[in-house]
Amino acid sequence: MKTIQNLSVRSVLNTAVLVMFLLAFSCSSDTLLESEVNEGTKASSNSILKTLVKGAALNAANGIDIGPDGNLYIASVNGQEIVVMSKINGTIIDRIKEGVDSPDDLVFSSDGSALYWTDILTGFVGRLDMETGEVVKQFVAPGVNPITFSDEGRLFVALDFLGDGLYELDPNLIDPPRVIIEATPGNPFPLGFFNSFDFGEDGRLYGPLFAAGLVIAVNVGEPGDPVSTSPFTDGTAEIVSGGFVNPAAAKFGPKGMLYVLDQTGELFKIDPATGDKTLFTRLQPGLDNMTFDTDGSLYMTNNDEGWVAEILSSGQARILSTGGMIVPQGLAVMAGPNNQDVVFEADLFSLREFNGTSGQQENQYKGFLVPPPGVFSLTLPMNVSASGSDLVISSFFTSTVQIWNPHDGVIADYADQVAAPIDAVRLDSGEVIVSDLGLGGVYRMSDAFQITPLVVASGMATDGETVWVADWATGDIVQIDFDGGSTTSAIVASGLSFPEGLAVDHEGRILVYETKGPVPSGVSQLSRIDLITGVKTIIVEDLKPKEGGLPGFPPMWFFDGVDVGPSGDIYIRGGEENVIYRIKKNKIK
């Protein structure tokens, strides 16, 4: 099949591994903070938590539609919410969260009485009755993503990334889904990830193939028609246009032209009769979805940056909600010019580089879920640690650990040796050590040796010779020492509250980001452990990690990272506030 030739086989296999794992595993201004003395701890005081970087208002901006009230409705997978926003000035009017798990696309019924959305990570389609507030959901399949109505009121969805195929749904979400195009063991990706789509005047469904770089038209048929497993050979699907990288949405606009956005940042106009395409405008990479108002106004979202904008007739973007960092997770701090701190932040779809003093973003490196053909690229970064001039990138979502350099790109990749890595570090010897939730412990990459089992693998830290790792479930910190080819492990701290990020300060003490976890008695604070005396000092209390989560995903949801810079300053993720904080060294004891 023509489209499959453009698919990244490695990405497809990694995605398949992830799906199997998910099914199997359950488990602003400166603020003066006063610490509270708890039993067995020594508290510090007058700790200053300063906002270094402020992120976007949305944790991601995905599907978009205009409601009967004239407002924009925006799906946010990472935010686990649907945001209601004024299309006039970008004011956030409401955040719909009830029954909303991981919304990637959404659409209103033609009469505006119901809002439908797709929860891509759980595989459900939701329906919100706009009058009664009642939510009804139906399971389709993991990866359910684009959703739209035909002019006749028929409802359609397709699968992306965690599956492939096309379905028609009962608008009441009662009758079982009707399969139109189905994946089979012999052809597991019959389309190549059919993304946000729209019906043309000819009654066919037009949309992009994200992984294949094509735009196609599909004959959706009628109930009772046979299921297609080979849509490009039996005539169900036809290629309209090609030459895209990762096209993510296609919508019909004024004068019957088909508008197609590519995640490269390019927006094209296509004549559906000839397939001829014209570049309309070039915007910031990471474009996700769009919708046309009845007056022809075009509104668009950017997933990587979290912004929402109106695209003017000139092609310029009138930003309604500004973008930036969307889900800060792991942090790594290195020495820059004049030994100034440089902060790298794992932002899921990007690796961002900030000036540690000013907070100014200095560089941004794109991560790929589906890399361009023939490109060995940066994965989707969820955690990061520094090792000399290199960075160690780990990603639970893409089942990958990489050694990466800003100048040389990917130096080494351990995708074949990991399952669900939460964190990874590299020793001075060059050995890479991984904390892996799927494998159930800490592993050495050189020989796949399990160093120590963990109930729920969590954050790591190293001074280059010794490794410390947290067990999220037990609250233990395990120290791992290396002597040639042998290793020894010992618990050096216990009783911590669902620990995630770890770091080593300049005095050899361990910083721990403690979180509330799933229990009311949990705490959210940054603590410091003196390994010689065993004394725990609370550095900052009442932190606000990003709340949320889904069954079958890591229980920490988005990782809460911390690191110490060459200056001795501490940098910490402020999850719920979507910020990076800095604590100056001279502000703590």
Side-chain angles (χ1 to χ4, degrees), residues 60-95:
N62 304 113
I64 182 171
D65 199 7
I66 299 171
D69 54 7
N71 293 314
L72 299 175
Y73 284 70
I74 303 146
S76 178
V77 176
N78 303 332
Q80 297 188 281
E81 62 182 0
I82 295 172
V83 176
V84 185
M85 179 180 293
S86 167
K87 64 184 179 186
I88 305 301
N89 55 24
T91 298
I92 294 177
I93 299 167
D94 195 10
R95 295 178 184 265

Side-chain angles (χ1 to χ4, degrees), residues 207-220:
L209 299 185
F210 186 92
L214 301 171
V215 171
I216 65 171
V218 176
N219 179 359
V220 298

Side-chain angles (χ1 to χ4, degrees), residues 198-500:
D198 198 8
F199 275 92
E201 293 181 353
D202 60 2
R204 294 191 297 173
L205 185 59
Y206 287 75
L209 299 185
F210 186 92
L214 301 171
V215 171
I216 65 171
V218 176
N219 179 359
V220 298
E222 298 292 339
D225 286 354
V227 174
S228 172
T229 58
S230 216
F232 291 92
T233 57
D234 64 19
T236 302
E238 176 187 345
I239 296 172
V240 175
S241 186
F244 303 95
V245 178
N246 286 135
K251 299 294 173 70
F252 280 94
K255 299 181 181 179
M257 296 297 287
L258 183 63
Y259 287 70
V260 177
L261 62 79
D262 198 311
Q263 286 217 320
T264 57
E266 296 169 306
L267 177 63
F268 296 91
K269 290 194 294 184
I270 295 178
D271 183 338
T274 64
D276 293 338
K277 68 178 182 179
T278 304
L279 178 65
F280 174 57
T281 189
R282 183 174 283 107
L283 303 165
Q284 197 172 15
L287 302 181
D288 189 276
N289 218 319
M290 58 186 166
T291 189
F292 282 94
D293 205 344
T294 53
D295 64 0
S297 298
L298 174 59
Y299 298 91
M300 185 174 293
T301 60
N302 187 301
N303 175 63
D304 296 12
E305 299 294 322
W307 57 247
V308 181
E310 179 186 3
I311 309 303
L312 305 177
S313 58
S314 64
Q316 292 182 311
R318 180 177 75 91
I319 300 297
L320 296 171
S321 183
T322 56
M325 184 173 61
I326 55 172
V327 278
Q329 297 173 77
L331 300 171
V333 190
M334 303 169 69
N338 302 317
N339 211 36
Q340 185 179 59
D341 289 355
V342 176
V343 181
F344 288 88
E345 176 259 330
D347 203 33
L348 186 58
F349 297 102
S350 302
L351 181 69
R352 300 179 189 267
E353 178 184 340
F354 298 100
N355 183 299
T357 301
S358 67
Q360 179 72 32
Q361 181 171 304
E362 298 182 337
N363 284 295
Q364 182 176 354
Y365 307 92
K366 169 72 174 173
F368 289 89
L369 176 61
V370 180
V375 177
F376 196 41
S377 62
L378 176 67
T379 189
L380 300 187
M382 301 186 75
N383 213 337
V384 58
S385 65
S387 177
S389 61
D390 300 328
L391 294 170
V392 185
I393 311 292
S394 49
S395 178
F396 158 80
F397 196 78
T398 53
S399 304
T400 305
V401 169
Q402 294 178 334
I403 307 297
W404 180 88
N405 185 280
H407 302 290
D408 302 322
V410 178
I411 298 171
D413 189 286
Y414 300 92
D416 296 335
Q417 296 173 241
V418 297
I422 300 299
D423 203 356
V425 297
R426 186 173 68 176
L427 304 179
D428 291 344
S429 65
E431 183 67 73
V432 176
I433 310 296
V434 177
S435 173
D436 195 297
L437 181 60
L439 298 177
V442 180
Y443 282 77
R444 186 171 59 202
M445 291 295 95
S446 62
D447 57 2
F449 173 72
Q450 186 187 64
I451 297 172
T452 185
L454 298 171
V455 178
V456 175
S458 191
M460 306 181 76
T462 184
D463 60 4
E465 296 182 355
T466 301
V467 170
W468 292 270
V469 60
D471 191 320
W472 189 88
T474 65
D476 296 336
I477 304 296
V478 178
Q479 178 174 309
I480 303 171
D481 292 298
F482 299 85
D483 183 12
S486 63
T487 62
T488 57
S489 303
I491 295 175
V492 294
S494 59
L496 298 167
S497 179
F498 305 101
E500 295 184 21

